[in-house]
Amino acid sequence: MAGAVIQSTILPHFSIWGLRIELVLLLVVSWSMLQGPEAGILWAIVGGLGLDLFSAVPFGTMTTALALTSFVIGKVGIGLLRTNSLLPIAMAPVATALFNGTVALILEGFGWHLPWSELLTGVILPLALLDTVAMVPVFGLLYGLHSRTQPEINW
Amino acid sequence: MFTRLAPLLLIISIGLAGILSFRTPQLRFVQDIAVQVFAPVQWALSGPSAGVAEFFQNFQGISDLRAENARLREEVDRLTQETVRLPELERENQELLAQLNLKRSQPTYQWITAKVIYYDPSNLVQSLTINRGSKDGLREGMTVITPAALVGRITRVSPATARVLLITDASSSVTAMIQSSRTKGVVNGQRREFLKMKYIPQSETVRTGDKVITSGVGGVFPEGILIGSVTNVSKKDTDIFQEADIEPGANLASLDTVLVIINHMPVTLD
């Protein structure tokens, strides 16, 4: 919830190319990769509800998209974590594309007409780059927190 | 009788002796001897006495220092507050000056100011929420501006807040015209910081730097509000219309305060 508040109040003032870093998405997928997809979904529901509260999209859109993204990335990422602890950072652009693609699809289903080519080149691709850069400190922070609280990762 | 007067006589004689010694230089040596004899005793006594006196003076001094310290701390706190407040006052002053200039240039519009509470957390939607709502007289469709340029329109109102759809949102369309040539077109959002002006006839000349304002056609937005400036023109001979990229006149990504025009409502077919 705090992540949703930060994302909607502070981060807009630090937007790059008119885009804002998706802090809640990064927190949720990081936790999902560290703790497993089941634990990640819980975070996704809480974080998604926070985003839905502040968003103009139909209520539930963010929660659904975040839960799906968290589950998929958690499944794939936790395997990558076994080989190299930095590899999950590479999952950030995949998470960005999956999350925003899902949101866009749901919006289309609700009758919103989205300019898909502009959405891809103007939003998703540059946002994937921004989120990847931001993923480094976010994942590092959660990895440190996770190591302190649960030194042995349960695979 | 003599016994009763003895103390009085003693005091008088000591007094007289003192006067005589002061008036008679020859007797001063007696005084000098007395000083010499009693000086060590006086010094010995005056040292601790001075110490005790100094101790009490210091004690008093500490109390004074404490009071002074508290006063200085208050002064520092006050000055710190001032240093924080001054830039805020300066900013507020600039905002009010900008509003005053806007009032001079657009005398027909009435507005109320509103603070931006938060932006939409999704990058797919360009909207923000302000701290004014229906209890302040806001209605859906009202135009939102800054002293610099157009921001968007209100799409949802609650008693205490209102949601504003920014002109950069892909679902936003604003009927517009090039200010200098009066060439008309439609400005669409692009979900990025730039806008696109479409449906500009090929025969018209559009130049980089041209100002784009609302045309008022359709009655959604009032006429004559700055939208932004042309940054790029796309003209193909095969197309019926030409397009222009527009940079918004207001910094839509980082707004603190906006103005809601309350005496213009969109025209509806009802």
Side-chain angles (χ1 to χ4, degrees):
Chain A
M1 289 299 276
V5 172
I6 291 169
Q7 189 169 324
S8 58
T9 54
I10 298 169
L11 293 182
H13 296 282
F14 299 96
S15 59
I16 300 167
W17 306 314
L19 299 168
R20 305 178 277 277
I21 290 164
E22 295 172 306
L23 181 65
V24 176
L25 171 72
L26 300 181
L27 286 169
V28 167
V29 296
S30 295
W31 197 247
S32 190
M33 283 188 281
L34 288 165
Q35 280 282 63
E38 289 79 12
I41 279 186
L42 187 67
W43 275 47
I45 290 169
V46 176
L49 286 173
L51 292 177
D52 274 322
L53 279 176
F54 298 127
S55 182
V57 300
F59 196 85
T61 304
M62 300 292 225
T63 309
T64 308
L66 202 55
L68 178 75
T69 309
S70 163
F71 186 78
V72 172
I73 298 296
K75 278 278 184 197
V76 180
I78 202 160
L80 290 174
L81 200 61
R82 289 179 194 165
T83 54
N84 189 323
S85 59
L86 289 178
L87 273 177
I89 290 166
M91 295 303 288
V94 183
T96 304
L98 186 58
F99 173 69
N100 286 289
T102 309
V103 171
L105 275 173
I106 294 171
L107 293 181
E108 278 283 345
F110 276 100
W112 294 40
H113 299 294
L114 304 172
W116 280 91
S117 60
E118 286 161 7
L119 198 71
L120 185 69
T121 56
V123 178
I124 294 177
L125 287 178
L127 195 57
L129 183 66
L130 282 182
D131 282 349
T132 306
V133 174
M135 185 65 157
V136 178
V138 171
F139 186 77
L141 188 76
L142 285 187
Y143 187 81
L145 185 73
H146 183 267
S147 303
R148 281 185 180 206
T149 53
Q150 294 171 8
E152 294 296 323
I153 295 174
N154 300 317
W155 303 111
Chain B
M1 171 80 178
F2 182 78
T3 321
R4 280 167 57 192
L5 287 175
L8 183 66
L9 288 171
L10 184 64
I11 289 166
I12 290 169
S13 55
I14 290 169
L16 281 173
I19 292 165
L20 280 171
S21 68
F22 182 74
R23 291 288 174 97
T24 315
Q26 292 81 357
L27 291 176
R28 279 205 184 150
F29 77 97
V30 179
Q31 193 180 18
D32 291 343
I33 289 167
V35 168
Q36 293 289 333
V37 169
F38 287 107
V41 181
Q42 284 176 315
W43 181 82
L45 287 173
S46 70
S49 305
V52 170
E54 196 179 331
F55 172 77
F56 283 108
Q57 279 173 358
N58 283 347
F59 196 73
Q60 177 64 32
I62 286 168
S63 175
D64 290 346
L65 277 174
R66 277 194 183 144
E68 180 77 359
N69 195 24
R71 196 185 60 76
L72 287 172
R73 271 178 199 276
E74 277 175 18
E75 187 71 7
V76 167
D77 287 348
R78 192 183 62 78
L79 289 171
T80 308
Q81 290 271 8
E82 286 283 303
T83 54
V84 174
R85 243 185 71 212
L86 275 175
E88 282 301 306
L89 285 174
E90 195 177 331
R91 200 171 62 86
E92 196 179 320
N93 189 31
Q94 283 173 352
E95 279 178 10
L96 289 171
L97 268 175
Q99 285 184 37
L100 187 65
N101 288 334
L102 182 68
K103 192 73 191 170
R104 284 177 183 146
S105 64
Q106 305 278 7
T108 54
Y109 299 138
Q110 292 174 353
W111 59 75
I112 57 171
T113 57
K115 290 276 179 193
V116 175
I117 308 173
Y118 61 85
Y119 278 79
D120 195 297
S122 172
N123 281 291
L124 303 182
V125 180
Q126 300 293 320
S127 77
L128 54 83
T129 301
I130 55 175
N131 69 339
R132 301 274 193 168
S134 55
K135 66 180 173 59
D136 303 295
L138 301 197
R139 300 285 178 270
E140 281 184 20
M142 282 182 170
T143 302
V144 181
I145 60 172
T146 68
L150 183 67
V151 170
R153 64 190 165 86
I154 291 175
T155 53
R156 192 171 166 180
V157 184
S158 67
T161 63
R163 185 170 286 157
V164 179
L165 184 78
L166 301 179
I167 53 171
T168 44
D169 190 90
S171 64
S172 166
S173 287
V174 184
T175 52
M177 63 181 169
I178 308 288
Q179 190 174 29
S180 55
S181 62
R182 318 308 281 181
T183 304
K184 291 187 171 57
V186 176
V187 171
N188 286 129
Q190 298 290 301
R191 295 194 193 280
R192 296 184 69 181
E193 67 253 75
F194 284 96
L195 306 161
K196 200 169 274 290
M197 187 170 178
K198 296 175 178 174
Y199 311 115
I200 307 168
Q202 284 279 14
S203 56
E204 300 291 342
T205 304
V206 183
R207 284 180 293 267
T208 303
D210 279 350
K211 300 281 184 207
V212 179
I213 59 171
T214 52
S215 66
V217 175
V220 176
F221 293 99
E223 186 185 343
I225 296 172
L226 179 72
I227 298 171
S229 308
V230 174
T231 55
N232 185 42
V233 182
S234 309
K235 191 174 184 179
K236 292 176 190 166
D237 292 336
T238 52
D239 292 340
I240 304 170
F241 298 105
Q242 56 181 320
E243 293 182 346
D245 289 334
I246 314 291
E247 184 180 9
N251 182 10
L252 300 175
S254 185
L255 293 167
D256 282 327
T257 310
V258 293
L259 313 172
V260 183
I261 297 176
I262 53 172
N263 64 337
H264 176 275
M265 283 302 293
V267 177
T268 56
L269 293 173
D270 303 337

